[in-house]
Amino acid sequence: MLELIVAIFILMSLILYALLGGADFGGGMWDLLAAGPRSKLQRKVVADAIGPIWEANHVWLILVIVLLFTGFPRGFAAMMTALYIPLTAILVGIVLRGAAFTFRKYGSEPEVVQQRWGAIFGAASFFTPFCQGLTLGALATGTIRVQNGRLTTGFFTGWLSPFALGCGVFALALFAFLAATYLTLETKDQPDLQNDFRWRALWSELALAPIALVVFLASRTGAPAMYGGLTRWWAPILLAWTSAFALAALTALWMRKYSAARIAAVGQVTTILLGWCLAKYPNIVTPDVTVINSAAPEVTLRLLVLALGLGAILLLPSLGFLFYLFKRKGAVDEGS
Amino acid sequence: MNDFFFARSQMAMSLAFHIVFAALGVGMPALMVIAEWLYLRTREPLYLDLCKRWAKGTAILFAVGAVSGTVLSFELGLLWPAFMEKAGAIIGMPFSLEGFAFFSEAIFLGVFLYGWKRLTPLWHWLSGVLVAVSGVMSAIFVVTANAWMNAPTGFKMIDGKITEIDPIAAMLNKASFHEALHMTIAAFVATGFAVAAVHAFLLLRDRNNRFHRCALGIAIGVAGISAPLQIISGDLSSRAVGRLQPAKLAAMEADYRTETGAPLLIGGIPNDETRTTKYALRIPHGLSLLLTHQLDSKVTGLDAFPQNQWPNVRIVHWSFDLMVACGSTLFFMSAVTVLLWWKNRRVPGQTWFLRALVFCGPLGFAAIEAGWVVTEVGRQPWVIYGVMRTEVAVTPMHWIAVSFAAFTALYLFLGVVVILLLRRQFLQTANPAPGTLLQSTHA
Ligand code: HDD
Ligand code: HEM
Ligand code: HEM
């Protein structure tokens, strides 16, 4: 029971990381892909939108990691060993993204240097979520085996499979869509710019559907346990919700109802991750490491749940305040 | 040079890098908050300029601190999975609490950096206070986890299985207090002297610059108060280590023989073969006196332990001496500061004094790095003191040399860029007429 509560907290942190931190990566993608007569303005909107919040958003990932190693130490050890290579790649991406973004903002170098930082920022914003999707995918393939606490399948298993690669691409499209949708709300007083992001959101949402289908089909052989989960009784319900959210997002974007589009996008990402975890339950590293067999002793879990409860009480109002302060009025004060 | 060696090197390198930004992340918010407070009190725009300048520097440092910290939290598992598998349930608690401290730090730093126009001055200042407090809290939490590795408690080990876990007892282990205290003060010492050095350097170029003089005043104020406290706290640490980890203490002091009235050895070349330390400065009875405050007490030497349980004596001894040398120099510098300040009745500006401050700038950080080497290398061969040996904890992964090289290159690059950026930030303000500065930060 307790391990379930901790697992739910982890899932919630993961969803929040996708919704917030994922969108920051998406912003970076649109920075790299900025094009047309307003490319400079597009970059500026992205920078202003993520500037004050990306560090706080990034902490959700750290929370996922600490909760994993506190609540499920054996699961953590197993995945860290098996996925050493893609996880290290994620770290390199995270370091480059954060550093390049900050250096670009605070450097007053000539244009060329700024552009180079921008390019690193953008490239790392592609690279990192791709590896994140890859890693999550690898955990579901069922090919990473752990026997008697020892990894038996080496360091290249799982994450190079077509299914995992598909998950990486899916994560890219998802975050790009999220970011573009959010950015339509950051550009309320610049209709042209808003339209740029509207089209980007529409296109990436349209791209998402075939990618999702391919990943689903690939899961049949690539992640059979997952596929089994996705064909259980609740799956159609969740799928219906996801599709409904997706259609709602498309319609709202088309009709320029941006607030509604944002809600739909959030709903869509949430149901996708929820479905993912339900299909995977109770596995952490399919099939050998589960929420039950890798959980920490009860004392630890109990304290952890207590701390999470108290922490949430302190934290959520502060987070709400941060977003209230910077997302209510739109654009950020420049340079101060 | 096997994978184990590179795993240790990668961990050490990542931590040595992160700790610089972490210490600044604890110290800088305090300086900013003091500057803004002075502004609120005096309404002198110069203090506001100062606060904003420091805030810009802090934003850069904080971002690098956050990403390098993320790397660490992964590396605990990537490099030491067997350690985390056992320790996660025991010391995950402080890491989780640290997570909350990070949140409030990141949130209120965002508010502080971007919210100048959106908050009333008092609320803005308060958000700065929250950043400072969360910084200290996160340092304390993470250090308790490290302290547990030195003084593991809160569990029972039966047949290699860990049972009867008590995470609270583990957090409040016997090394937590002295380590957390010593680290927190260290952050203020190091930040204070480093910032003082920057402004002293700029004052040397432009003697009548009020901006830098005020900045210098705040920085040496913080540094001058904390450096003497650090000596007291260091004494506390030494004696605690003597009780908890006698092998580490013996290595720190290059003390091979158990004896009464043990001498204090400074410097020299310890030699494990002959079990002697050549060319050291010997102070008879010094060690006994320092540890127990008595001349003839008995001090355990390395001979009380099998040689396969010794840490690397040279590294630990030299690092310890380096830390103490830095600490003593900075203490001396604080005394000089107080004297001059009191004599001049204002922030001292003598050329020789400013030059000395510039010299002292890196010493606090040198002491931090050296101190951590003492703690970490001195704990070897254990990752959990007396419970788990480090080589058991390491990942089975191969080719760790590759990731070590990658992160080293990456961090070197980041380090250089950060220095260049900060340099630019400060050189820009070398001659600020207060009005223009205010405009440029609002632009
Ligand atoms: C500004 C930095 C600074 C300065 C001036 C000093 N130290 Fe230090 N020292 C640290 C910064 C530091 C540190 C980097 O923060 C460490 C590493 C682990 C810790 O708790 O603090 C440390 C560790 C450390 C330890 C090992 C603690 C352990 O392993 O549990 C001892 C015994 C001392 N110190 C003793 C001293 C003494 C006697 C000093 C007197 C001059 C001194 N330190 C000055
Ligand atoms: C003595 C050692 C350490 C101290 C004093 C310390 C302190 C700090 C501080 C003050 C910050 C805030 C960021 C900044 O201001 O630059 C920070 C960031 C961070 N540290 Fe450390 N840390 C230490 C070691 C570690 C270790 C061992 C880990 C690994 C688990 C770690 C993980 C992190 C993470 C994940 C962040 C990013 C938080 C964010 O995004 O804001 N730190 N650390
Ligand atoms: C609170 C924070 C810290 C934690 C939790 C921590 C944890 C660890 C762990 C798990 C290892 C690997 C196992 C081992 O070699 O024993 C290690 C090694 C090491 N750490 Fe730390 N550490 C912390 C702070 C630091 C800092 C700030 C430094 C700065 C220089 C540092 C320097 C080293 C070194 C040099 C090693 C290698 C020791 C050796 O293998 O000889 N540590 N640390």
Side-chain angles (χ1 to χ4, degrees), chain B residues 138-185:
Chain B
S138 68
I140 291 177
F141 285 132
V142 75
V143 169
T144 59
N146 179 274
W148 177 84
M149 295 161 61
N150 286 318
T153 41
F155 67 98
K156 279 224 173 74
M157 189 88 164
I158 298 168
D159 300 334
K161 284 246 177 308
I162 283 182
T163 54
E164 295 185 41
I165 292 180
D166 180 352
I168 303 273
M171 236 175 104
L172 303 176
N173 63 73
K174 289 205 174 99
S176 284
F177 177 73
H178 78 257
E179 274 200 35
L181 181 71
H182 200 53
M183 178 66 230
T184 310
I185 303 177

Side-chain angles (χ1 to χ4, degrees), chain A residues 51-52 54-56 58-60 62-63 65-66 69-70 73-74 76-77 80-81 84-85 87-88 91-92 94-96 98-99 102-103 105-109 117 155-156 296-297 299-300 303-304 307-308 311-312 315 318-319 321-322 325-326 329 331-336, chain B residues 10 56 59-60 62-64 66-67 70-71 73-74 77-79 81 84-85 88-89 92-93 95-97 99-100 102-103 106-108 110-111 113-119 165 167-168 395-400 403 407 410 413-414 417-418 421 424-425 428 441-443:
Chain A
W54 75 268
E55 275 170 322
H58 175 75
V59 184
W60 289 109
I62 296 163
L63 199 64
I65 294 296
V66 269
F69 73 57
T70 313
R74 243 162 300 148
F76 176 73
M80 288 285 154
T81 312
Y84 187 99
I85 299 168
L87 286 168
T88 302
L91 289 179
V92 172
I94 285 177
V95 171
L96 283 177
T102 310
F103 293 166
K105 177 162 184 350
Y106 288 99
S108 41
E109 277 108 344
W117 286 128
F155 306 102
F156 293 96
V299 248
T300 306
L303 273 170
L304 196 57
L308 284 169
L315 202 76
S318 317
L319 263 179
F321 177 64
L322 178 73
L325 207 60
F326 294 111
K329 289 187 203 156
V332 173
D333 302 345
E334 272 174 51
S336 39
Chain B
Q10 184 176 332
K56 283 203 172 171
I60 300 172
F62 190 87
V64 180
V67 293
T70 310
V71 171
S73 50
F74 279 76
L78 288 173
L79 298 172
M84 286 313 283
E85 196 175 332
M93 216 47 209
F95 282 111
S96 309
L97 296 173
F100 286 112
F102 287 154
F103 254 125
I107 291 171
F108 289 104
V111 172
L113 291 179
Y114 291 85
W116 291 101
K117 292 182 193 151
R118 302 192 170 207
L119 293 168
I165 292 180
I168 303 273
T395 174
M397 177 74 194
H398 310 297
W399 317 290
I400 297 192
S403 57
F407 279 108
L410 190 59
F413 173 62
L414 290 193
V417 176
V418 168
L421 281 184
R424 186 173 302 245
Q425 287 281 338
Q428 268 176 3
T441 49
H442 275 299

Side-chain angles (χ1 to χ4, degrees), chain A residues 78 142-153 287-289, chain B residues 85:
Chain A
T143 49
I144 300 174
R145 301 303 303 261
V146 182
Q147 257 125 22
N148 301 323
R150 288 257 158 278
L151 176 76
T152 56
T153 45
D288 295 318
V289 184
Chain B
E85 196 175 332

Side-chain angles (χ1 to χ4, degrees), chain B residues 150 178-179 182-183 186 189-190 230-231 234-235 237-238 241 245 248 252 320 323-324 326-328 330 364 367-369 371-372 374-375:
Chain B
N150 286 318
H178 78 257
E179 274 200 35
H182 200 53
M183 178 66 230
V189 176
Q230 185 68 333
I231 303 284
D235 171 61
S237 289
S238 304
V241 172
Q245 293 173 294
K248 183 193 274 182
M252 275 156 52
F320 181 68
M323 168 171 58
V324 175
C326 294
S328 312
L330 296 181
I368 287 190
E369 298 289 355
W372 276 105
V374 171
T375 303

